Amino acid sequence: MNGKIIGIIVILVLLLALAGILYLAYRKIRDTVRGYSRMLFGTEDVREGVQRMEREYASTPKSVSSATGLYLPGIMKDFPEFHLEEMKGRAENVLTSYLRGVDAGDGRLLTEGTQELREKLDMRIEMLRGAGIREHYERIRVHKTEIHKYRKDKGRCSIVFQTAAEHIHYQEQNAAVIKGHRERLEQAKYNVEVSYIQDVEQVENLSDAGLAMICPNCGAPLSSLGAKTCAYCDSPVLEINLRVWNFTDVETA
């Protein structure tokens, strides 16, 4: 009997010793994790630190790829009447109206753009509608817009603006959120392209007549860059540049 009691006592002592070792190991791991958490997040609570990091990420604007200083001199050389701030404002309006059009399921909300861009928006809306999905963009706010690219190719000049924006973005189906969050802000980047036709005859696959550079008086095509008068009716076309820049695309960067 005494031997059995001694055996039980030994087992209990070993279990207590093992529990002590495990507790010390747990304390060491916990303290190590808290130390790293303080170093990384400024708090000992890892979950709180991760949530704080997610909030900071959601509120910190994305950086845009700015090449404005690189491309603007060439643009101004080709188009002396080009107004950067006005065009940036137009690009931002096109972007926000495009997203609002998706949100409302109404392509007519797009403020301006070629027929090709309008068809792209309408197709996106129809695809979502066919799948029974509503896509929402709420609390849209633009942070910054810069020139990202400037291309000249076969009679067409194109400027790509890159915009950093924030919004609440989510998709729902049957009143249930299937992507994104109803309350969480997210940061995003978008590219908005605007094109100018220098020479209609050189452009391949000109599917949208709205891209053509035409005389505001008689409607005749103007085939030379920077033309000041129409060759057909001799009407002045000094202010034609701003009117013939047409927005052709909106996409996630």
Side-chain angles (χ1 to χ4, degrees):
M1 180 65 69
N2 290 336
K4 289 183 178 180
I5 295 174
I6 293 173
I8 293 172
I9 293 173
V10 169
I11 292 173
L12 291 174
V13 170
L14 291 174
L15 289 175
L16 288 172
L18 179 60
I21 292 171
L22 292 175
Y23 178 72
L24 291 174
Y26 160 76
R27 287 285 301 270
K28 184 174 180 61
I29 293 172
R30 185 193 64 183
D31 292 344
T32 301
V33 170
R34 286 179 175 177
Y36 279 115
S37 181
R38 283 195 302 270
M39 182 175 62
L40 294 173
F41 308 122
T43 176
E44 291 185 351
D45 189 327
V46 176
R47 182 172 60 181
E48 179 186 344
V50 171
Q51 292 174 347
R52 182 184 299 176
M53 185 176 65
E54 289 178 346
R55 289 193 298 269
E56 290 177 356
Y57 180 77
S59 62
T60 303
K62 288 184 176 291
S63 60
V64 294
S65 178
S66 174
T68 301
L70 175 64
Y71 290 122
L72 187 58
I75 296 172
M76 295 303 300
K77 181 179 178 181
D78 293 338
F79 303 94
E81 294 85 9
F82 182 84
H83 296 281
L84 176 61
E85 294 305 316
E86 181 172 348
M87 195 63 71
K88 284 166 63 173
R90 288 175 61 188
E92 292 171 357
N93 288 336
V94 167
L95 171 61
T96 55
S97 66
Y98 184 94
L99 298 180
R100 286 173 180 147
V102 174
D103 177 79
D106 186 355
R108 294 173 296 180
L109 295 180
L110 183 64
T111 54
E112 61 174 309
T114 62
Q115 185 63 29
E116 181 182 7
L117 179 57
R118 295 182 183 277
E119 289 176 354
K120 176 181 177 178
L121 175 56
D122 289 338
M123 183 178 299
R124 179 170 174 176
I125 292 171
E126 287 304 316
M127 289 179 63
L128 290 167
R129 186 173 293 142
I133 297 173
R134 286 291 306 275
E135 185 167 15
H136 296 278
Y137 288 92
E138 302 169 359
R139 293 170 55 184
I140 303 169
R141 179 186 175 193
V142 170
H143 293 296
K144 187 177 183 180
T145 298
E146 296 289 348
I147 295 174
H148 178 50
K149 293 179 182 178
Y150 178 48
R151 299 189 296 260
K152 296 195 291 184
D153 180 52
K154 296 182 179 179
R156 182 196 301 262
C157 293
S158 296
I159 299 174
V160 178
F161 290 97
Q162 190 166 99
T163 295
E166 70 176 31
H167 44 54
I168 291 175
H169 176 215
Y170 63 96
Q171 293 181 351
E172 60 180 358
Q173 188 174 43
N174 299 324
V177 175
I178 59 174
K179 183 180 180 181
H181 301 272
R182 282 196 179 102
E183 304 297 332
R184 184 182 300 173
L185 278 172
E186 68 175 27
Q187 303 296 321
K189 287 194 299 186
Y190 295 92
N191 288 340
V192 180
E193 183 172 359
V194 59
S195 296
Y196 183 108
I197 300 303
Q198 289 179 264
D199 190 337
V200 177
E201 296 179 356
Q202 292 185 29
V203 178
E204 296 180 352
N205 301 320
L206 186 62
S207 58
D208 188 352
L211 284 173
M213 186 167 68
I214 60 174
C215 172
N217 180 52
C218 70
L222 305 173
S223 59
S224 60
L225 176 64
K228 301 302 180 184
T229 59
C230 174
Y232 294 87
C233 70
D234 206 35
S235 296
V237 289
L238 182 62
E239 301 300 324
I240 192 66
N241 283 346
L242 278 178
R243 291 198 295 273
V244 298
W245 284 103
N246 288 271
F247 288 89
T248 56
D249 197 19
V250 174
E251 63 179 6
T252 303

